[in-house]
């Protein structure tokens, strides 16, 4: 089987599973978010730890498991955010008590905990268990996936100056612009199909999410280059690691969660974007 065939099959399977759990919402979707959180942190540590051990033992992993349990249990946003803050502070403080090389590794562990946990938290609370949550996640998927597809094809067709050659040599400015347009169009089509009335606002939100998604992609590329890695992992056949597939998605999810929180509440952010 060719690499292209593996990529297509993996992408279809992932899309079907993700959309199915998104439709169900509630506990099934929280379990998906929990699994994503664990896998992101696992790949982060495999990339960023200079040696097998950090000098912190299994402290970061234990803290993450506590957070994942709270996420699956459906604790309120205030408790989840407090847990994230505690995890990061404890990891940084314990790392500061170690020798200098371990302090540096501990700082990367703390960053990974924050990145993985906030990503999982944002997705889980955006979906919640109601209709606005379903529309919000589908809106997010539409924008991010259309951005990726449009950026790829426009970049290949048009070419031109590179977007960030020192970080990701394959990305072009034309691709970034095409991705942004594609993301906005897809987001507006999804919102219109869902019967949303605030299309002008959602168009701006879609543009923000598209740009943040591309920035998230560049951020992960920077982390990989910083640690001399080509892929974040090998879990997904033909695609690399989980982080390679969800880098833009989790960045956009965090942005959409913050926007929804400002519009509504931390526990039900989607209701501020797609009111019933």
């Amino acid at each position: 089987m060719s690499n292209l065939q593996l990529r297509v099959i993996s992408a279809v399977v992932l899309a079907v599973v993700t959309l199915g759990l998104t439709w169900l919402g509630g506990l099934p979707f929280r379990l998906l978010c929990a699994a994503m959180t664990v896998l992101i942190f696992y790949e982060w540590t495999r990339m960023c730890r200079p040696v097998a051990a950090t000098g912190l033992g299994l402290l970061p992993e234990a803290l993450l498991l506590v957070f994942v349990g709270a996420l699956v249990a459906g604790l309120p946003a205030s408790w989840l955010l407090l847990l994230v803050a505690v995890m990061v502070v404890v990891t940084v403080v314990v790392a500061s008590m170690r020798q200098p090389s371990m302090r540096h590794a501990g700082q990367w562990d703390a960053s990974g905990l924050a990145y993985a946990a906030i990503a999982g938290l944002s997705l889980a609370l955006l979906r919640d268990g109601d209709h606005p949550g379903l529309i919000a996640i589908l809106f997010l998927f539409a924008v991010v996936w259309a951005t990726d597809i449009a950026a790829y094809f426009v970049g290949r067709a048009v070419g031109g100056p590179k977007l960030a050659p020192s970080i990701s040599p394959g990305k072009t400015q034309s691709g970034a612009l095409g991705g942004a347009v594609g993301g906005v169009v897809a987001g507006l089509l999804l919102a219109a199909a869902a019967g949303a009335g605030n299309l002008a606002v959602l168009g701006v939100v879609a543009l923000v999410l598209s740009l943040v998604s591309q920035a998230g992609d560049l951020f992960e590329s920077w982390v990989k280059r910083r640690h001399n890695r080509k892929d974040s992992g090998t879990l997904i056949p033909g695609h690399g690691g989980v982080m390679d597939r969800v880098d833009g998605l989790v960045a956009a999810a965090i942005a959409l969660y913050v926007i929804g929180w400002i519009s509504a509440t931390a526990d039900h952010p989607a209701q501020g974007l797609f009111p019933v």
Side-chain angles (χ1 to χ4, degrees):
M1 186 178 294
S2 69
N3 187 62
L4 177 59
Q5 289 174 316
L6 279 175
R7 287 179 65 88
V8 172
I9 292 172
S10 298
V12 171
V13 171
L14 285 172
V16 170
V17 172
T18 300
L19 290 173
L21 294 176
T22 299
W23 178 266
L24 292 173
L27 179 59
F29 189 76
R30 291 201 303 273
L31 287 171
L32 173 65
C33 295
M36 184 183 299
T37 299
V38 171
L39 290 171
I40 287 174
F41 184 66
Y42 172 79
E43 292 184 350
W44 180 282
T45 56
R46 297 290 78 75
M47 286 195 299
C48 300
R49 286 178 180 172
V51 291
T54 64
L56 303 179
L58 294 176
L59 175 64
E61 285 80 0
L63 291 171
L64 187 70
L65 287 180
V66 172
F67 172 82
V68 165
L71 183 67
V72 172
L75 263 62
S78 56
W79 284 100
L80 294 174
L81 290 167
L82 177 61
L83 269 175
V84 175
V86 169
M87 290 192 305
V88 171
V89 170
V90 168
T91 303
V92 169
V93 169
V94 174
S96 69
M97 300 176 183
R98 300 296 193 265
Q99 56 184 317
S101 62
M102 293 301 101
R103 293 177 199 166
H104 181 71
Q107 291 168 356
W108 278 103
D109 274 6
S111 301
L113 282 171
Y115 179 72
I118 294 176
L121 176 157
S122 298
L123 284 165
L125 293 178
L126 274 170
R127 175 58 183 95
D128 203 10
D130 53 19
H131 183 67
L134 174 61
I135 301 305
I137 292 293
L138 293 178
F139 177 79
L140 174 70
F141 289 164
V143 172
V144 173
W145 292 348
T147 295
D148 285 346
I149 294 169
Y152 175 78
F153 284 107
V154 172
R156 285 179 64 88
V158 178
K162 301 298 182 180
L163 180 64
S166 62
I167 299 175
S168 185
K171 291 181 172 57
T172 62
Q173 295 177 18
S174 62
L177 179 59
V181 172
V184 171
V185 170
L188 287 176
L189 288 175
L190 188 286
N198 51 340
L199 292 181
V201 173
L202 291 175
V204 175
V205 172
L207 177 59
V208 171
L209 296 185
S210 180
L211 296 176
V212 170
S213 171
Q214 296 185 63
D217 193 342
L218 288 173
F219 169 71
E220 200 234 351
S221 295
W222 174 80
V223 173
K224 288 189 293 188
R225 281 188 170 273
R226 175 70 173 74
H227 294 92
N228 299 314
R229 296 297 183 97
K230 180 179 183 296
D231 296 313
S232 65
T234 58
L235 183 63
I236 306 174
H239 288 272
V242 172
M243 284 181 63
D244 294 320
R245 292 300 90 207
V246 302
D247 47 10
L249 177 68
V250 297
I254 294 169
L256 187 60
Y257 175 72
V258 172
I259 294 170
W261 182 355
I262 294 171
S263 304
T265 67
D267 287 297
H268 306 286
Q271 294 182 6
L273 299 163
F274 299 94
V276 179

